[in-house]
Amino acid sequence: MAAHLCYGRVNLNILREAARKDLREFLDKCAGSKAIVWDEYLTGPFGLIAQYSLLKEHEVEKMFTLKAGRLPPADVKNIIFFVRPRLELMDIIAENVMSEDKMQSPREFNILFVPRRSMLCEQRLKEQGVLGSFTNIDEYILDLIPYDGDLLSMECESAFRECYLENDQTSLYHTAKGLMTIQALYGTIPQIFGKGECARHVANMMLRMKREFAGSQTQILPVFDTLLLLDRNVDLLTPLATQLTYEGLIDEIYGITNGYVKLPPEKFAQKKQGEGGKDLPTEPKKLQLNSAEELYAEIRDKNFNAVGAALSKKAKIISAAFEERHNAKTVGEIKQFVSQLPHMQAARSSLANHTSIAELIKDITTSETFFDNLTVEQEFMTGVDTDKVNTYIEDCIAQKDPLIKILRLVCMQSVCNNGLKQKVLDYYKREILQTYGYEYILTLNNLEKTGLLKPQTTTRNNYPTIRKTLKLWMEDANEQNPNDISYVYSGYAPLSVRLTQVLARPGWRSIEEVLKMLPGPHFEERQPLPTGLHKKRQQGENRTTLVFFLGGVTYAEIAALRFLSQMEEGGTEYIIATTKLINGTSWIKSLMDKPEVNI
Amino acid sequence: MAFVTATWNPLGEAFYRKTEVYEMGWRLSSGLRDCLVAAAPYGGPIALLKEPQRRSPSARPQLEIYSSSGCSMASFVWKSGVVKHLGWTVSDDLLCIQEDGTVLIYDLFGNFKRHFSMGNEVVQNQVLEAKVFHSPYGTGIAIITGAFRFTLATNIDDLKLRRLPEVPGLQGPPTCWAVLTQDRQSKVLLASGLDLFILDNTACSAVTPPGLSPQVCSIVQMCVSFSYKYLALFTDSGHVWMGSANLKEKLSEVETKVKTPPKQMVWCRRPKSHQPSVVMMWERHLLVAGECKETIQYKQMTCQVLIDRLVYRKLYPLAIEICRYLKTPEYQGVSRVLKHWACCKVQQKEESDEAIARAVSVKLAEAAGISYSEIASKAYECGRTELAIKLLEFEPRSGEQVPLLLKMKRSQLALSKAIESGDTDLVYTVVTYLKNEMNRGDFFMTLRNQPVALSLYRQFCKHQEQDTIKDLFNQDDDHQELGSFYVKASYKEKRLEARLSLLQSAVDEYNKAKNEFAAKATDEEMRLLRFQRRLEEEKGEQLLGLSLQDTLRVLLSVGLNKPAEQLYKDFRVPDKRYWWLKITALADKEDWDELEKFAKSKKSPIGYLPFVEVCVKKHNKSEAKKYISRVTPEQKVKAHLAVGDLEGAAEAAIERRSEAEISMVLSRCLSTTDRGLVDRLNRARSTTAKK
């Protein structure tokens, strides 16, 4: 069921199995039939750990969404609330519990906090007078969720906002806890590198927790050699750029949530004979996207311009495989052919799906709007005219294009110019307020607080230096047969991944100057290993590095890291962890503050 | 050889013998008659309460605690109420259950630990009978009251009283009853004559043991095996029924030919044998049903329990030696023993705080995984706050220190420790505590010195206490945030006047914050709102709440050009954007004459490609074509393409010798219909490429 988690360099299924075991244990604590009341936000992340069948095996008969008022009727012994520790949710739970009909057969109430219990919330339940009504109050420590064979996510949408805007470091505490779980399962990580304030904070907490757990250390041979903690605000540029890998574009255009994408159904209509395509499906087509699907694993990280060729090559292979049936003469050969049929049919339907998706994407990438937008992005990234008002942006505002698109561009210009001239900044801001509404002044404030948008304070723009030193722009990016990570943005090499690459070879000492220009401290820590647990590296054996993006990572960055893992002489394989998979749109959205207008 | 078998007595087909392992050290003048007795399992301590019914102050009953070999460990006069039942917990504490449902807990040295009540119903109706039972959840108590209702607590350390449902038709006490643990739940099995019932939290269900002999009129005695798997029932007809505790399966039935109920009946099991058996005892009579020769399974007593036993008896050095010998992992073994030692040490009143703290830290220094906060808690319980604080200093887990520090009212220290731990929930907890403890001024001052706590509190207020957040910003003179606060508040306001006054406050704050831009923009917003209201009143157009741009769009589309012009001037809307607005509005109205007039009114600041585009958007290509000639050469190809004129686009592209533009046109050509054009473009492209 989760076989794709086992195939990577590190078997992430161990983590998933540990999470499933904890879940089963909790469910068994509540004896008898149960109904789960879900904090809706959690259903997606839970889907990555356990399907309904697991819950059913443990007598979960009904599921509801948490909402105010009275709980729906269900003839079960236990009601279990699966919730994040948030005060507003506690109030809803209290209301549910209090409006329970006492005359009916009493149901037992239980709470499972995800990912951690909270005294504050329990206090709130106590104030509401319902704390005593709960038979079990427990926590389900779900920090890092295995998302794919080389990818872990905390699925915590607001992490960037909380850390950089609200100075709330709760998600960093969970990160540190999650990394302790990782070390309990995969051994102590001997080397920790980091860049940024949040990275420093997480490393400090990890080292502290390590001291606290002294004595209960696991004797596991370390799987990871290095942990690299990176603050998202060290590289604000990358997520703003439009991702140009296949998976990145799917996410940019349709949005991938918890590993699923919803697509317009028209292209996926089953053409059956006699129906003449009369009723097209109206429900969006929902597809799961991960490396369990062979074809997807092959093409997800390619530049979109190389996907067409890959798909047609695959089509040829599949039809050739089907042609084989004519060569099957003996009973044995026919039997062999038939045994392969299910696999071939799956491949064929996978091919059909991705051909449809590629067509949908192509309609957009070949449009003029897409081309113009990309041109401006690339101008900014190469440092063309970043210091004056951009006509394209002006025109887009005048035509009231989606605000997020505008904000992405303006922020990108600001980042690539190390801040905008006050006049330019004010002009953009005024244009935005007049066009989209004055309420967006709050959003603009937020963008300024996080540094995505800022006035130029020094006359010196250090972005060109960073760009040149780190080779962020490669003129001759090869999209078809890439030889450098810059292929993921057709020319731009993501800064975050360059930092990762340089760390592996030749080391950060070579880029001290640039590191100083980027925000936050950079550091190195070592965690001593008990004797006997030191790895004896075989000749030519690759190192394994866990790269943790605090505040989110894009699919294109992941693609770039996978590319580095596969490089012949790279010498390092990467496992990626993050607070959340993001793209420019979802990221900017998380920073927006639009008050509900009451007029 | 004769003497070897001499001591063996026949018991059916088997033989048994009695051997004395050791002599009991106690001297009991009147035996165990008139005594309440409780013996802990696995050779644990024995408690005796002599003549428990005695009430007169002159002659109170005596409570005695002995080791399993009869050595006296404690003895004192019982001064509390009438005890109905004695029992031992899994951690060697003595439970004394009184008639009124009060349960008193003593350690095995007879020191009082705590007490609790089994609830009001028990107080009212009194305890008829009580049983102490053990389950994976700890030690539990079951009580039947004078009203024949059961009250049950599964774990006395996490007390949750459950009053079990009524048994229908039960008029007198049940003939016998027992506690079962099934499906992770404690239940009561009771017999009333021939009827058997199972009581769980929610229901009372009648059950029938399969294959019970038909002569039976009443079930008079029952017992459950240690694992709760098996059940034995003794009937008035002298039959012993043995089966599974869920009453689904019968194992066997034996006719004892004795009709009086046995004094005691217990399950036993021989290791490796799959056949459990029941032993019954009458005054002068022992009977084994099933196959059994040994009675106690020592294997169930783990090393863990053994170490616990030693620890409860304060035999610390021996416990440590055994841990070392058994190579028990440190934090389960030696560290645990040392923690118990330290908890005991802090209670020694004669030693000074310094001496104890030093002794504890020296002894525990090398031990892994020690919870100093538990030891400190103990010290605090004994009234030694200073010692507790000293001990807490050794606790490496700052999070663990917090609850105790709060309890000891060292809240400032608790706050720093909470922040140190990184656990924001803990910080919140301390902050809420401080908020209730301190006056507002001091509270704010404390937060001011702890930025992490302050920002978390702000978050809390944002969702929970809007007014407090304003006070916080005020105190910090954070005018920028105050400005934003008022802006936010203004959107929640329904009435325009109130909204405007909040926006005015925002303007004032932004000015104080020297944020000129925000002040101006907010001022503009107010002007717009007033303008919209005036226009709504005058012209009846719904405008309030629209952005400036949308207001202009509405005005232009309904032909209110004058107010639009005025807005454009008053708000200094850039020409470019105004032109876009204007031509879009005209195209939307399909007012082509007016559009053409506007195009000619003066030189367009946005060029003429937009004119082409707005016409095309409205599917009017012929109008669009009118503007192509005025489009700049750079945009000409685009313009031609927009109206679908491939020929024109090709010409323009070739003329400009732009490879990119030629390719762009080519990409729009169909190889089937535009054959000639494609060839021309390809040729042009190859010549441009050469240059």
Side-chain angles (χ1 to χ4, degrees), chain A residues 305-323:
Chain A
N305 286 334
V307 168
L311 285 176
S312 64
K313 197 172 126 200
K314 192 74 179 183
K316 276 178 202 143
I317 294 172
I318 290 175
S319 53
F322 274 99
E323 283 307 306

Short mmCIF file of all heavy atoms in Angstrom, two decimals, chain A residues 305-323:
data_model
loop_
_atom_site.label_atom_id
_atom_site.label_comp_id
_atom_site.label_asym_id
_atom_site.label_seq_id
_atom_site.Cartn_x
_atom_site.Cartn_y
_atom_site.Cartn_z
N ASN A 305 9.12 21.06 -21.00
CA ASN A 305 9.43 20.95 -22.42
C ASN A 305 10.01 19.60 -22.81
O ASN A 305 10.12 19.28 -23.98
CB ASN A 305 10.39 22.07 -22.84
CG ASN A 305 9.66 23.40 -22.90
OD1 ASN A 305 8.45 23.44 -23.10
ND2 ASN A 305 10.40 24.49 -22.70
N ALA A 306 10.41 18.81 -21.83
CA ALA A 306 10.96 17.49 -22.15
C ALA A 306 9.93 16.39 -21.90
O ALA A 306 10.19 15.22 -22.15
CB ALA A 306 12.21 17.24 -21.31
N VAL A 307 8.74 16.78 -21.42
CA VAL A 307 7.74 15.78 -21.05
C VAL A 307 7.10 15.15 -22.29
O VAL A 307 6.89 13.94 -22.35
CB VAL A 307 6.67 16.39 -20.11
CG1 VAL A 307 5.47 15.46 -19.95
CG2 VAL A 307 7.30 16.66 -18.76
N GLY A 308 6.84 15.97 -23.30
CA GLY A 308 6.20 15.48 -24.51
C GLY A 308 6.97 14.32 -25.11
O GLY A 308 6.41 13.24 -25.39
N ALA A 309 8.27 14.52 -25.26
CA ALA A 309 9.12 13.48 -25.85
C ALA A 309 9.08 12.22 -24.99
O ALA A 309 8.96 11.10 -25.52
CB ALA A 309 10.56 14.00 -25.97
N ALA A 310 9.14 12.40 -23.69
CA ALA A 310 9.13 11.24 -22.79
C ALA A 310 7.83 10.47 -22.91
O ALA A 310 7.81 9.24 -22.90
CB ALA A 310 9.35 11.70 -21.35
N LEU A 311 6.73 11.23 -23.04
CA LEU A 311 5.42 10.55 -23.15
C LEU A 311 5.31 9.77 -24.45
O LEU A 311 4.82 8.64 -24.46
CB LEU A 311 4.29 11.58 -23.05
CG LEU A 311 4.01 12.15 -21.66
CD1 LEU A 311 2.93 13.23 -21.73
CD2 LEU A 311 3.57 11.05 -20.69
N SER A 312 5.80 10.35 -25.54
CA SER A 312 5.64 9.62 -26.80
C SER A 312 6.56 8.41 -26.84
O SER A 312 6.21 7.37 -27.39
CB SER A 312 5.84 10.54 -28.01
OG SER A 312 7.16 11.01 -28.04
N LYS A 313 7.71 8.53 -26.22
CA LYS A 313 8.61 7.37 -26.12
C LYS A 313 7.92 6.24 -25.35
O LYS A 313 7.93 5.08 -25.76
CB LYS A 313 9.90 7.79 -25.41
CG LYS A 313 11.06 6.82 -25.61
CD LYS A 313 12.34 7.39 -25.03
CE LYS A 313 12.97 6.41 -24.07
NZ LYS A 313 13.91 7.08 -23.16
N LYS A 314 7.29 6.64 -24.26
CA LYS A 314 6.59 5.66 -23.42
C LYS A 314 5.45 5.02 -24.20
O LYS A 314 5.23 3.80 -24.12
CB LYS A 314 6.05 6.36 -22.17
CG LYS A 314 5.56 5.43 -21.10
CD LYS A 314 6.72 4.77 -20.40
CE LYS A 314 6.22 3.84 -19.31
NZ LYS A 314 7.36 3.27 -18.57
N ALA A 315 4.75 5.84 -24.99
CA ALA A 315 3.63 5.32 -25.76
C ALA A 315 4.10 4.23 -26.70
O ALA A 315 3.46 3.19 -26.86
CB ALA A 315 2.97 6.46 -26.54
N LYS A 316 5.27 4.48 -27.33
CA LYS A 316 5.82 3.49 -28.26
C LYS A 316 6.14 2.19 -27.54
O LYS A 316 5.84 1.09 -28.02
CB LYS A 316 7.06 4.04 -28.96
CG LYS A 316 6.71 4.89 -30.16
CD LYS A 316 7.95 5.48 -30.82
CE LYS A 316 7.56 6.71 -31.63
NZ LYS A 316 8.58 7.76 -31.55
N ILE A 317 6.76 2.32 -26.38
CA ILE A 317 7.13 1.12 -25.62
C ILE A 317 5.89 0.32 -25.25
O ILE A 317 5.84 -0.90 -25.41
CB ILE A 317 7.91 1.51 -24.34
CG1 ILE A 317 9.24 2.15 -24.73
CG2 ILE A 317 8.12 0.30 -23.45
CD1 ILE A 317 10.00 2.75 -23.57
N ILE A 318 4.86 1.03 -24.82
CA ILE A 318 3.66 0.31 -24.39
C ILE A 318 2.98 -0.37 -25.57
O ILE A 318 2.60 -1.54 -25.49
CB ILE A 318 2.69 1.28 -23.67
CG1 ILE A 318 3.29 1.69 -22.33
CG2 ILE A 318 1.32 0.63 -23.45
CD1 ILE A 318 2.50 2.72 -21.58
N SER A 319 2.86 0.36 -26.69
CA SER A 319 2.18 -0.31 -27.81
C SER A 319 3.02 -1.47 -28.33
O SER A 319 2.47 -2.49 -28.74
CB SER A 319 1.79 0.67 -28.92
OG SER A 319 2.90 1.42 -29.31
N ALA A 320 4.35 -1.32 -28.28
CA ALA A 320 5.20 -2.44 -28.67
C ALA A 320 4.94 -3.63 -27.75
O ALA A 320 4.87 -4.77 -28.22
CB ALA A 320 6.67 -2.03 -28.60
N ALA A 321 4.76 -3.35 -26.47
CA ALA A 321 4.51 -4.43 -25.52
C ALA A 321 3.20 -5.14 -25.85
O ALA A 321 3.09 -6.36 -25.77
CB ALA A 321 4.49 -3.88 -24.10
N PHE A 322 2.19 -4.34 -26.22
CA PHE A 322 0.91 -4.96 -26.58
C PHE A 322 1.03 -5.77 -27.87
O PHE A 322 0.39 -6.80 -28.04
CB PHE A 322 -0.18 -3.90 -26.71
CG PHE A 322 -0.82 -3.57 -25.39
CD1 PHE A 322 -0.44 -2.45 -24.66
CD2 PHE A 322 -1.80 -4.40 -24.86
CE1 PHE A 322 -1.01 -2.15 -23.45
CE2 PHE A 322 -2.38 -4.12 -23.63
CZ PHE A 322 -1.99 -2.98 -22.92
N GLU A 323 1.88 -5.27 -28.79
CA GLU A 323 2.09 -5.97 -30.06
C GLU A 323 2.67 -7.36 -29.83
O GLU A 323 2.47 -8.27 -30.61
CB GLU A 323 3.02 -5.17 -30.98
CG GLU A 323 2.34 -4.00 -31.65
CD GLU A 323 1.07 -4.39 -32.40
OE1 GLU A 323 1.14 -5.30 -33.25
OE2 GLU A 323 0.00 -3.81 -32.10
#
